[in-house]
Amino acid sequence: MSHQPEQQHQRLAIALFAVFTLSGFAGLIYESIWSHYLKLFLGHAAYAQSLVLMIFMGGMAIGAYLAGRYSERIARPLMTYAAIEALLGLAALGFDPAFRALSALVFDTAAPALGAGWAIDGLKWGLSAAVILPQSVLLGATFPLISASIIRLLPKQAGSVLGWLYFTNSLGAAVGVLVAGFVLVATVGLPGTILTAGLINLVLALAVYSLARNGEQGAGAVEATTSAPADRGSEGWLRLMLATAFITGAASFCYEIGWIRMLSLVLGSATHSFELMLSAFILGLALGAWWIRRRIDELRDPLQTLAWIQVVMAVLAWLTVWVYDGAFDVMAGFMSAVARTQQGYVLFNLFSHALCIVLMLPTTICAGMTLPLITKLLLRAGGGERSIGFVYAANTLGAIAGVIAAVHVLMPLLGLRQVILIGGVLDVGLGLYLLYRSRVLHRLHPALAAAAALGLGLAIAVGVHWDPRQLASGVFRFGDSHVKGEVAYHRDGKTASVAVIRHNGGRQIAILTNGKPDASLAINAPSSADDPTMVLLGALPLLMHPAPRMAAVIGMGSGRSTHTLLLDPRLERVDTIEIERAMVEGARLFGPLTERTFTDPRSHIHVEDAKAYFSSTARRYDLIVSEPSNPWVSGVASLFSEEFYPLARRQLAEGGLFVQWIQLYEINDQLTASILKAMLRHFPYVRAFSPNSSDLLLVAAADGPVPAPGGYDKLTQELKDLLAGIDLPYAASLRLREVADQRLLAAYAAAPDIPPNSDYFPIVDQRAVAHRFLQDRAAGLLDLHMLHQALFGSPPDLDELVPVRHPGPAAAALRGEHARQLTEYLRFRADDGAAPETGMDAALLNQLILLQGAMASCDPVLIGRVWEPTYSGLLRTMASSKYNLNNNDESSMLRHGRFAADRGEVSRAGGSAG
């Protein structure tokens, strides 16, 4: 019978370990989803991301400190833990509606009243803290409370208990980040994901309350012990251990920030890539805690063990700098072997996760051992239960310091490689000091081992240099481990690594972010495939607005669109909003092609997030041009959402025009339709143009129809020459570029069964990366345009038009074999017996005939009633028809081709035009 209470305590402890696994699962959901929410509120600029992290982790540190300080006075910490889980769950249930109401209050009422400046920024920061700080404090208190509860049950196994708790909580977090990112957000959106976490908390609260009612009786607080040397019971020893926790936390997060940027260049900077990296990092922490759990209570000198772990951790982190360049070759080999299919995409994610694990795991396993050891040392030295909370708080504060230093100081000033090297210096310096305190450095072998570690670090710092052609290769897209050409500029910025590449003997120049081309221009040569997009983004609204005075451009790119706008003397001011300062610096290398962006006194460049900028400025613009990066890049899809478009609409002056770039490559019709649905809700009048066969430009208005392009005679000669250089010498030549109005766009958007893209249900952010891998094309809208031309169009007089170097879809349709096939295919009568051959059902055939008659009779009521369902049906039919323009022939190849001279050359391969 004497063993019965001990066995009961063991069973209760096992149940609590399971509870804490689920608690870690929910906690990582909160960290991820709160970041999503607050980025919508604060913007995606680096300072805003740091603020989110400071609030979250600062709250965790406060909670851990308070729990550590007062846990010894709490008679039943398990009951307190249950209450905290319940409070977290209740807060999660009301978070989404409260956040939306608060956002509406700030953006609709406070921001217009306060205007730009410190007042509105201070209000947003203060409200952000108020929204998540209380829950963060509660989350920070959970670890010390449950640790104290189990250690009271099993006081002789304190070290093992701590190892198990760190392991179970980290394991739950590693799984949680994957489930939240790959399943929950994609299935139930941000509101459903945070609701799921809240329900988990409530279930855990009930379970812990049930376990604690009887199991917690009679367990007292852990008292001061023990057998440690006398100096280890002093306040000086406490300060040393807390400083150790702080420094190792800072170093570990230097590693994490550095590895995330390093792996983004190999895996791509999509949201799912970050989730794979974070999961691998946390998995290493879990395994380290798991390994140390059985050994920690038996260590003769835990301080010496901790010291050597710090040294080994630094060495392993430095080795990642040495082996990193091999990751590009490994990924290139994988990309050349894997099929671009759904199954291949699953393999791509598994391989990417494995690559993250190989790079991160050895170091993070060491990091996972440190906190259990530090806490155990303090418990052995008589620190009591407060040690648990104090160590957790100090480590969290160190993590905050590490992130801020890495993102805002080390990365932009010294570069990516130095972030890892300096993190290793912190760890090895700490390890050597702890070895000195352990009195082992006076012996030969430890001294030689320490000297070898320092020598290795110095050799890597001096001898290992990364090839910038690898860093800019974008291997995750086409499997090329080196970009061809000369790297004229490379810098690791706060939010991205930016490179400028010259190739073809300097005749072509491209700017890339994290290995993804964002713009390409030809120097002293015929225009590049990107140039029509970049020029038309600026020129189209100038040809449509009668008297533009103020313009804004979202996204720097090469600066070509801003340069084009500034060629019009009617504009008094052009604001360019770019999130990454290194992008602005790199764009200067495009020289005369973009010089007005940097030299014209009317040009103003703002290094800021677009949402944050617009929410804090009182300016109203006649023209807003939105050309961000590709929507598969993490965070960019929020500039294609139904929450962004009303913000853009609010910034327009009366009669203003909004211009949106959308890629048609590496995306599918469903996601393109989702973006269009979001946009059409707030801009009901739209005209669509296709400057080349891979991009779509939408010119939209909120308060009246979009006028046709005109006014060529009023343009400056420089602007006329620019348009002539892209085969648009006069307004009539734009007939080859216009592909749709709002009716055809609405029909296209209605066909796919998908909701509008939203910040709260981020469909595009979640799915676009898969279509990047699959190399899909969103050809449906251009197919519908060709169908319309075949049915009702009258071909322009092609003899009056100049030859087209970059044929648009209209030109390809009118000149190609498909135009004749489609005309024959669609110009039928019901008694022709064509229905079985076309694959159309009888209802659609009859509707099409009705639409033909309505168009012939110009009956607006009848046209309005049958237009959208007819064209939506046509789109669905063409998606499975043998005449689908995705299949073959020359015009299809034009749309499918990469606009590059050869496979390794950066040209049209992606991005915002700029």
Side-chain angles (χ1 to χ4, degrees):
M1 295 294 292
S2 62
H3 296 290
Q4 188 171 1
E6 184 177 348
Q7 291 174 350
Q8 290 175 345
H9 289 172
Q10 289 280 4
R11 287 195 293 269
L12 177 57
I14 291 171
L16 292 175
F17 290 141
V19 163
F20 211 45
T21 303
L22 287 174
S23 182
F25 181 94
L28 236 291
I29 290 177
Y30 286 129
E31 181 179 357
S32 174
I33 299 305
W34 284 344
S35 294
H36 278 293
Y37 272 105
L38 289 187
K39 284 174 188 176
L40 302 178
F41 192 54
L42 295 167
H44 286 266
Y47 75 85
Q49 294 173 342
S50 300
L51 183 65
V52 170
L53 188 65
M54 283 194 298
I55 295 170
F56 176 74
M57 301 193 75
M60 295 273 287
I62 293 170
Y65 172 79
L66 292 174
R69 183 172 183 180
Y70 296 108
S71 66
E72 293 177 0
R73 307 180 194 179
I74 300 173
R76 305 187 69 181
L78 208 52
M79 280 294 190
T80 307
Y81 175 83
I84 287 176
E85 291 283 3
L87 288 173
L88 285 169
L90 292 173
L93 298 184
F95 185 87
D96 182 75
F99 178 85
R100 295 192 193 217
L102 189 65
S103 296
L105 178 66
V106 170
F107 290 124
D108 297 340
T109 304
L114 295 175
W118 64 267
I120 186 63
D121 288 340
L123 176 65
K124 290 195 294 182
W125 296 342
L127 290 174
S128 297
V131 164
I132 70 167
L133 187 61
Q135 298 98 298
S136 300
V137 172
L138 293 173
L139 277 171
T142 57
F143 184 84
L145 285 171
I146 199 167
S147 299
S149 300
I150 302 178
I151 289 174
R152 290 183 188 185
L153 295 171
L154 305 171
K156 296 180 181 179
Q157 304 174 41
S160 178
V161 165
L162 290 169
W164 271 112
L165 283 171
Y166 279 111
F167 166 66
T168 54
N169 193 247
S170 298
L171 182 63
V175 175
V177 68
L178 294 177
V179 173
F182 282 87
V183 180
L184 291 176
V185 174
T187 306
V188 295
L190 302 188
T193 303
I194 199 167
L195 182 63
T196 300
L199 293 174
I200 291 172
N201 287 134
L202 291 174
V203 170
L204 291 179
L206 291 173
V208 173
Y209 173 77
S210 176
L211 292 170
R213 276 192 304 176
N214 299 313
E216 200 173 23
Q217 299 288 351
V222 176
E223 298 181 0
T225 51
T226 82
S227 57
D231 68 318
R232 298 190 185 181
S234 65
E235 285 298 315
W237 180 255
L238 173 64
R239 287 194 293 271
L240 173 62
M241 288 297 98
L242 294 183
T244 300
F246 180 93
I247 293 170
T248 194
S252 294
F253 271 76
C254 283
Y255 301 148
E256 181 177 0
I257 296 298
W259 287 333
I260 284 175
R261 179 67 63 81
M262 288 162 61
L263 287 166
S264 295
L265 303 177
V266 179
L267 311 183
S269 52
T271 296
H272 286 333
S273 298
F274 295 134
E275 288 154 354
L276 293 170
M277 298 174 211
L278 183 57
S279 174
F281 186 89
I282 299 171
L283 178 62
L285 299 179
L287 293 177
W290 179 82
W291 188 88
I292 202 70
R293 82 200 191 287
R294 287 185 178 273
R295 299 162 176 83
I296 193 169
D297 289 316
E298 301 170 2
L299 291 173
R300 256 187 358 178
D301 189 350
L303 181 63
Q304 186 177 337
T305 303
L306 175 64
W308 282 118
I309 286 173
Q310 298 294 151
V311 173
V312 171
M313 181 159 52
V315 169
L316 291 172
W318 287 335
L319 287 174
T320 65
V321 174
W322 184 32
V323 303
Y324 172 57
D325 57 352
F328 290 88
D329 296 324
V330 171
M331 179 58 78
F334 174 81
M335 294 297 291
S336 65
V338 70
R340 298 303 182 100
T341 62
Q342 290 291 348
Q343 294 80 6
Y345 179 63
V346 172
L347 290 175
F348 173 76
N349 282 310
L350 292 174
F351 184 81
S352 298
H353 200 207
L355 205 57
C356 297
I357 288 171
V358 168
L359 190 74
M360 296 183 182
L361 209 65
T363 311
T364 53
I365 285 175
C366 292
M369 301 179 196
T370 57
L371 292 193
L373 277 169
I374 295 169
T375 311
K376 175 64 175 178
L377 278 164
L378 284 176
L379 288 173
R380 285 183 60 176
E385 287 180 5
R386 67 175 186 158
S387 306
I388 302 168
F390 287 1
V391 168
Y392 196 85
N395 186 254
T396 305
L397 289 174
I400 295 172
V403 169
I404 294 173
V407 172
H408 295 278
V409 181
L410 301 178
M411 190 89 73
L413 293 182
L414 301 178
L416 170 58
R417 193 173 64 100
Q418 281 68 30
V419 173
I420 304 294
L421 294 175
I422 290 172
V425 169
L426 290 176
D427 268 334
V428 79
L430 176 62
L432 292 176
Y433 179 74
L434 295 178
L435 286 172
Y436 167 76
R437 289 293 297 263
S438 298
R439 301 182 178 90
V440 297
L441 279 183
H442 67 281
R443 299 200 298 266
L444 178 62
H445 291 114
L448 288 176
L454 290 173
L456 177 64
L458 182 62
I460 290 174
V462 173
V464 175
H465 298 281
W466 295 335
D467 186 347
R469 295 180 305 131
Q470 276 191 320
L471 303 180
S473 65
V475 63
F476 53 87
R477 294 182 76 206
F478 300 111
D480 300 319
S481 62
H482 290 73
V483 68
K484 293 185 178 180
E486 170 202 356
V487 179
Y489 172 89
H490 183 275
R491 182 166 180 182
D492 299 308
K494 291 183 179 181
T495 65
S497 295
V498 177
V500 176
I501 310 295
R502 290 194 179 102
H503 46 89
N504 284 347
R507 293 191 299 275
Q508 195 167 25
I509 183 170
I511 190 165
L512 303 88
T513 55
N514 288 345
K516 184 196 71 61
D518 268 346
S520 176
L521 282 172
I523 309 295
N524 298 322
S527 65
S528 67
D530 273 350
D531 211 18
T533 299
M534 295 184 280
V535 170
L536 280 180
L537 277 164
L540 269 174
L542 294 176
L543 293 168
M544 294 175 169
H545 197 288
R549 294 174 52 252
M550 303 275 286
V553 179
I554 302 171
M556 169 65 69
S558 65
R560 182 73 156 166
S561 297
T562 299
H563 174 85
T564 302
L565 285 165
L566 289 164
L567 293 175
D568 193 323
R570 296 175 297 172
L571 284 171
E572 300 171 6
R573 180 186 181 100
V574 179
D575 290 311
T576 305
I577 304 105
E578 169 57 52
I579 195 170
E580 177 51 61
R581 186 175 300 278
M583 197 76 177
V584 178
E585 296 172 2
R588 293 179 183 272
L589 274 68
F590 283 84
L593 297 173
T594 64
E595 65 179 344
R596 283 185 178 267
T597 302
F598 306 102
T599 61
D600 196 307
R602 298 170 296 161
S603 178
H604 302 269
I605 299 171
H606 308 271
V607 180
E608 177 64 282
D609 169 76
K611 285 187 174 181
Y613 175 79
F614 282 140
S615 69
S616 60
T617 182
R619 294 191 188 95
R620 297 294 179 265
Y621 296 97
D622 301 299
L623 311 175
I624 296 178
V625 177
S626 182
E627 46 174 333
S629 193
N630 301 59
W632 59 261
V633 176
S634 180
V636 173
S638 66
L639 295 175
F640 296 87
S641 70
E642 63 177 341
E643 288 78 20
F644 172 71
Y645 289 124
L647 179 62
R649 176 174 176 169
R650 193 183 69 194
Q651 297 303 128
L652 283 174
E654 184 177 354
L657 297 176
F658 177 77
V659 186
Q660 174 75 73
W661 165 81
I662 299 178
Q663 68 180 82
L664 296 180
Y665 56 94
E666 296 182 332
I667 200 169
N668 71 345
D669 286 310
Q670 278 198 322
L671 296 186
T672 308
S674 179
I675 293 171
L676 282 169
K677 282 182 179 179
M679 184 178 181
L680 289 168
R681 288 188 172 187
H682 304 284
F683 291 98
Y685 305 99
V686 187
R687 298 174 80 112
F689 297 81
S690 186
N692 54 43
S693 300
S694 293
D695 297 321
L696 189 69
L697 306 184
L698 305 174
V699 184
D703 48 12
V706 178
Y712 263 71
D713 56 326
K714 298 179 182 179
L715 299 179
T716 63
Q717 187 58 48
E718 194 173 0
L719 189 50
K720 289 179 180 177
D721 292 343
L722 199 60
L723 289 169
I726 60 168
D727 306 321
L728 297 173
Y730 39 81
S733 52
L734 277 174
R735 292 175 63 187
L736 288 178
R737 305 299 189 196
E738 188 166 4
V739 296
D741 60 11
Q742 60 266 14
R743 293 182 303 169
L744 195 60
L745 291 171
Y748 169 75
D753 184 18
I754 194 169
N757 184 48
S758 165
D759 290 338
Y760 299 101
F761 293 87
I763 295 165
V764 174
D765 183 70
Q766 288 289 303
R767 301 185 188 179
V769 64
H771 297 287
R772 182 205 74 193
F773 175 84
L774 296 171
Q775 296 183 322
D776 279 340
R777 307 285 298 183
L781 180 62
L782 304 187
D783 286 355
L784 278 184
H785 169 70
M786 292 184 182
L787 288 166
H788 181 72
Q789 288 295 110
L791 275 169
F792 309 114
S794 54
D797 188 349
L798 297 179
D799 294 333
E800 296 180 2
L801 301 176
V802 297
V804 179
R805 281 191 293 268
H806 308 295
L814 292 169
R815 294 175 176 179
E817 180 63 23
H818 262 294
R820 291 190 291 274
Q821 289 181 345
L822 291 172
T823 301
E824 180 182 353
Y825 169 51
L826 291 170
R827 287 179 179 169
F828 54 81
R829 290 292 180 266
D831 57 357
D832 287 345
E837 183 180 346
T838 63
M840 295 184 184
D841 59 37
L844 182 58
L845 288 171
N846 292 332
Q847 204 166 27
L848 186 56
I849 293 168
L850 183 63
L851 178 58
Q852 287 178 308
M855 295 288 287
S857 65
C858 298
D859 184 340
V861 176
L862 189 58
I863 291 172
R865 188 165 64 243
V866 300
W867 180 281
E868 184 172 308
T870 299
Y871 274 86
S872 297
L874 283 171
L875 180 63
R876 293 190 181 94
T877 299
M878 292 305 294
S880 59
S881 166
K882 66 180 179 180
Y883 292 112
N884 190 321
L885 301 187
N886 283 314
N887 293 339
N888 48 41
D889 81 50
E890 183 179 355
S891 64
S892 177
M893 290 168 63
L894 283 169
R895 283 202 314 280
H896 236 321
R898 286 182 62 198
F899 289 87
D902 61 71
R903 185 168 179 79
E905 182 178 300
V906 177
S907 177
R908 170 57 258 165
S912 73

